[in-house]
Amino acid sequence: MNASVAGPLSGVVVADFGRVLAAPYPVKTGVALVDVLTGLHAAVGVLAALRHRDATGEGQHVEVNLLSSLLSSMVNQAGGYTLAGEVPGVLGNRHPSIAPYEVYRAADGPLVVAVGNDRQFLALCLGLGAEELAADPRFISNADRVAHVDALAEEISARLALRTAAEWFDLLTPLGVPCGPVNDLAGAFDLAERLGLSPRVTPADADPDAPMRLVANPIGLSRTPPRYQRRPPRLGEHTEDLRRWLDS
């Protein structure tokens, strides 16, 4: 599963994308992604520093900042600017150099399709019952499809409108076409449950009369799997303990 499909499946992409694209100003993501990315970079930096300490005995200062983390996380878009001076415009849900690679409307809602090569495009055409599109001179290669992306979107949209997003997912996935409906959080957690990912956990010390379910750690370790021994503290629960510790 690639990132363009995982994002919508996980609920990151806003379902009401028409309103987002129509907005005359930048629109933020639903969560503070830059804060999360910077924290991950900090953790990687700490691990690198620990490896250096293990090898040399030397410690060092690890520093990260929000802006640098954001710039590095924009990967191909940032690289396109640093290498070629290209400033990307408003693309909405489209990919700048791959097509078809965007969100379309199925009969009941949005469906993301992320075709990354000619083989996948042929499979998409077969699944849509539109084999003629694979032979259309406008769509032979990826470069052709990018050059005629609006015409391609019209052709694909007309066919996707005939079935629901779930029906297309079930039909296209076995053909090797990366696609998926745009979920809300409830749908995303249900999908993770169906895939056996166990996205919700209960701390060992949770009150049996008030069960608490938390988001699971996404990292799987074969020798030292994550443990969930303690629940988050209640408001003010450890205030006095902290004050005694600070005064000691």
Side-chain angles (χ1 to χ4, degrees):
M1 181 183 294
N2 64 33
S4 287
V5 174
L9 288 176
S10 65
V12 172
V13 175
V14 179
D16 188 11
F17 58 88
R19 182 180 61 183
V20 172
L21 293 180
Y25 44 80
V27 179
K28 73 178 186 69
T29 58
V31 295
L33 285 178
V34 179
D35 293 28
V36 175
L37 290 167
T38 304
L40 292 172
H41 288 155
V44 173
V46 168
L47 293 174
L50 288 173
R51 292 290 292 166
H52 178 75
R53 185 205 61 182
D54 292 343
T56 67
E58 298 176 339
Q60 60 185 300
H61 180 69
V62 178
E63 181 177 346
V64 296
N65 65 76
L66 295 173
L67 180 57
S68 295
S69 293
L70 173 61
L71 293 175
S72 69
S73 298
M74 287 193 289
V75 289
N76 58 310
Q77 298 284 28
Y81 174 72
T82 58
L83 292 171
E86 294 186 5
V87 177
V90 177
L91 294 171
N93 291 306
R94 284 181 175 171
H95 193 283
S97 57
I98 305 175
Y101 206 100
E102 59 181 285
V103 178
Y104 300 92
R105 279 283 181 187
D108 63 339
L111 175 79
V112 62
V113 175
V115 168
N117 55 53
D118 294 339
R119 177 184 56 79
Q120 291 177 349
F121 181 64
L122 176 59
L124 172 65
C125 294
L126 293 174
L128 294 176
E131 295 88 341
E132 72 278 5
L133 293 182
D136 191 312
R138 298 173 298 171
F139 312 137
I140 294 294
S141 69
N142 179 68
D144 296 325
R145 294 191 290 272
V146 171
H148 301 93
V149 65
D150 290 330
L152 179 60
E154 289 183 11
E155 296 283 0
I156 293 175
S157 296
R159 290 161 174 83
L160 290 178
L162 302 177
R163 297 175 183 260
T164 67
E167 288 173 332
W168 284 120
F169 178 74
D170 291 340
L171 190 155
L172 296 175
T173 299
L175 299 178
V177 179
C179 67
V182 178
N183 282 322
D184 58 16
L185 272 180
F189 272 90
D190 289 344
L191 174 62
E193 294 282 5
R194 294 198 302 273
L195 295 175
L197 300 178
S198 302
R200 288 171 277 205
V201 296
T202 300
D205 65 347
D207 186 345
D209 296 326
M212 176 182 294
R213 304 187 76 185
L214 306 175
V215 181
N217 189 320
I219 300 173
L221 298 168
S222 60
R223 298 278 183 163
T224 56
R227 295 183 298 170
Y228 306 93
Q229 300 298 319
R230 302 189 64 180
R231 58 171 173 76
R234 296 185 178 89
L235 182 63
E237 182 176 357
H238 299 140
T239 299
E240 293 305 319
D241 293 338
L242 289 171
R243 284 176 176 168
R244 285 193 293 270
W245 177 72
L246 289 171
D247 292 338
S248 63

